[in-house]
Amino acid sequence: MSETQTQAPAPTRRPVVIAHRGCSGERPEHTMAAYRRAAEQGADYVELDVVMTLDDVLVCRHENELSGTTDVAARTEFAARRVQKTVDGVAATGWWVEDFTLAELKTLRCKERLPQLRPANVAFDGQDTIATFAEVLALSAETNIGVYCELKHPSYLRGIGKDPLPPLIADVHAAGGQSMADKMFVQSFEIGALVTLTQMSSIRWSCTQLVSIDGGPVDRPDLTYAQMLTDGGLRDIATYARGLGADNVLIFPRNNDLSRAPATDLVARAHAAGLVVHPWTLRAENFFLPPNLRRGDANAPNYLQLHGDAEADAREFYAAGVDGVITDFPATAVAARA
C-alpha cells in the first residue's frame, strides 16, 4: 500500500464526535432512528457494526445473535432457528443473523438492549426494523454524516463461507466509491480483515485498529493487545491503519475504588507513530462514570440510571489529546467540545 493510505494527519485541534451505534443513549441501538438522531445532534460520524445475512447482505447489529436487540424470541415462526453456536471461542444459544435472509430479518422489530439502565428507550421498542449497511450509506449521502463501520467477527464469518469484505466494498462503490470512503473509517478488533481490505480494492480506506484492555485479536493468537500497544506495536499498526480505537481505560485507568487515575502516555505514543486516537465508549449514566462525576441521590433506587456530569467526562478526554470520542450521547460530547 502507498504511504498516503496509512499516513495519519497531525492530531486534530477539533476532536470528532462518533455516535456509538447511533445515538444509542436515547434510542434503541443500531436503528435508523438512532442514526438519524446522531446526525441531528451534530455527530461527525455514526458508528455501526456489520454482520452478514444468509443471502450475503451486510446488516447493522452489534452481535450476530438477535435475541438481545430484537423481538425474535417472541416470533413463533422462527422458534426452530434457535441453536447453539460458538463464535470467537464463546458458546451461546440464540437466533443468528447468518441463518436469516434479509427479507426475514426485516420482519423483526428492534428493541432496547439495556432496558434496566435506559427505561425511557423502551418506548421506542418495535418501531424500527434492522437496518442494512447500504441504508446507512444512504443516510450519510443525505446528511453528510461520516460512517464508522466495525467488521464484527470477520474470521468467524469467513469460516462459514461469508466474507464480509466483498459486500462492504460493493456497497461503498454503489454509494459513490472513493467519495463515500473519504467519509469513512473501517475498524476491527482483528488485524487480517483490515490488512486485506487495504490490499484488495482500488479504494483508499481509512482503517482503525480496535484494542482492549486485555486479550488479543482472535486471528492472531500469538499476539496480545498489550504487545500491540508497545511503541513497536503501534508502528506496526500504522502500516495498515490510520486510527487506534482504544478502550477508554487504556487512556484513563481506574483505581480500585473506580476513581480515575492520571492519563497514561498512550495518546502521545500513538500520535508519535502517526495514529489518531478514538477511545470507546463514553456514556452518561452514573453506572459508567467515575464516582466524582456521578450525580444524584446515591440512595435512590434509580441512582445508576441517572445521568452524571458526562460533559466533564468528555472534556477530560479532550484535554488528554484524543482526536475524537466514541459515545452513546453525541449531543453531550458536541456540547463539551464547544
Side-chain angles (χ1 to χ4, degrees):
M1 73 197 76
S2 69
E3 182 179 350
T4 56
Q5 281 182 265
T6 59
Q7 182 63 45
T12 56
R13 299 180 65 181
R14 182 179 185 271
V16 295
V17 172
I18 304 157
H20 184 238
R21 310 179 195 177
C23 183
S24 55
E26 298 183 14
R27 300 291 187 273
E29 66 181 45
H30 286 320
T31 58
M32 292 305 295
Y35 300 145
R36 286 191 175 277
R37 183 74 169 161
E40 292 165 359
Q41 293 185 347
D44 300 288
Y45 292 87
V46 60
E47 190 268 353
L48 55 101
D49 309 282
V50 293
V51 290
M52 285 183 71
T53 68
L54 181 63
D55 47 348
D56 298 334
V57 179
L58 292 180
V59 295
C60 304
R61 293 287 90 190
H62 178 252
E63 296 296 339
N64 51 334
E65 202 285 306
L66 290 161
S67 62
T69 57
T70 75
D71 63 353
V72 67
R75 303 293 293 273
T76 56
E77 67 269 35
F78 297 131
R81 305 273 182 100
R82 185 174 185 265
V83 295
Q84 183 181 66
K85 296 191 180 188
T86 299
V87 179
D88 294 350
V90 178
T93 300
W95 293 261
W96 305 86
V97 170
E98 62 267 22
D99 296 334
F100 290 75
T101 65
L102 177 62
E104 290 172 328
L105 288 175
K106 282 292 189 179
T107 69
L108 303 179
R109 292 297 181 269
C110 299
K111 67 177 184 178
E112 172 57 37
R113 184 176 63 92
L114 299 173
Q116 70 278 20
L117 282 176
R118 295 171 178 170
N121 288 9
V122 175
F124 301 97
D125 284 1
Q127 295 186 10
D128 279 76
T129 62
I130 291 176
T132 67
F133 180 54
E135 288 169 343
V136 179
L137 295 181
L139 177 68
S140 174
E142 174 191 338
T143 65
N144 205 39
I145 194 169
V147 175
Y148 214 114
C149 173
E150 181 180 347
L151 297 168
K152 296 294 292 190
H153 313 301
S155 290
Y156 164 80
L157 289 173
R158 283 197 305 273
I160 60 171
K162 294 193 170 297
D163 186 347
L165 295 186
L168 180 135
I169 293 168
D171 282 349
V172 172
H173 272 297
Q178 189 62 53
S179 63
M180 178 57 70
D182 287 343
K183 298 192 294 179
M184 287 182 61
F185 280 84
V186 179
Q187 63 180 347
S188 180
F189 281 101
E190 298 185 28
I191 296 173
L194 299 181
V195 172
T196 301
L197 183 65
T198 63
Q199 296 172 342
M200 70 182 296
S201 171
S202 59
I203 289 178
R204 299 184 306 277
W205 301 93
S206 292
C207 293
T208 293
Q209 178 65 60
L210 288 165
V211 292
S212 188
I213 188 68
D214 51 26
V218 298
D219 62 334
R220 284 289 305 275
D222 60 315
L223 191 63
T224 66
Y225 292 128
Q227 291 170 323
M228 295 175 71
L229 294 176
T230 64
D231 289 345
L234 292 169
R235 289 192 295 270
D236 288 342
I237 291 172
T239 64
Y240 61 87
R242 177 183 171 194
L244 181 73
D247 187 334
N248 67 67
V249 295
L250 290 165
I251 296 171
F252 283 109
R254 294 291 185 97
N255 298 311
N256 290 337
D257 63 357
L258 298 183
S259 63
R260 189 165 277 165
T264 67
D265 63 354
L266 177 59
V267 174
R269 292 192 300 107
H271 285 168
L275 296 165
V276 295
V277 182
H278 298 151
W280 49 273
T281 303
L282 276 59
R283 297 177 166 108
E285 291 91 357
N286 283 336
F287 179 83
F288 299 106
L289 292 169
N292 67 304
L293 295 181
R294 294 178 177 181
R295 299 293 181 265
D297 180 2
N299 296 314
N302 66 338
Y303 176 64
L304 294 180
Q305 296 175 1
L306 299 178
H307 288 194
D309 194 346
E311 282 195 34
D313 185 45
R315 285 194 297 270
E316 288 189 15
F317 282 91
Y318 294 152
V322 302
D323 304 280
V325 294
I326 299 174
T327 175
D328 288 2
F329 293 88
T332 300
V334 168
R337 181 178 64 187

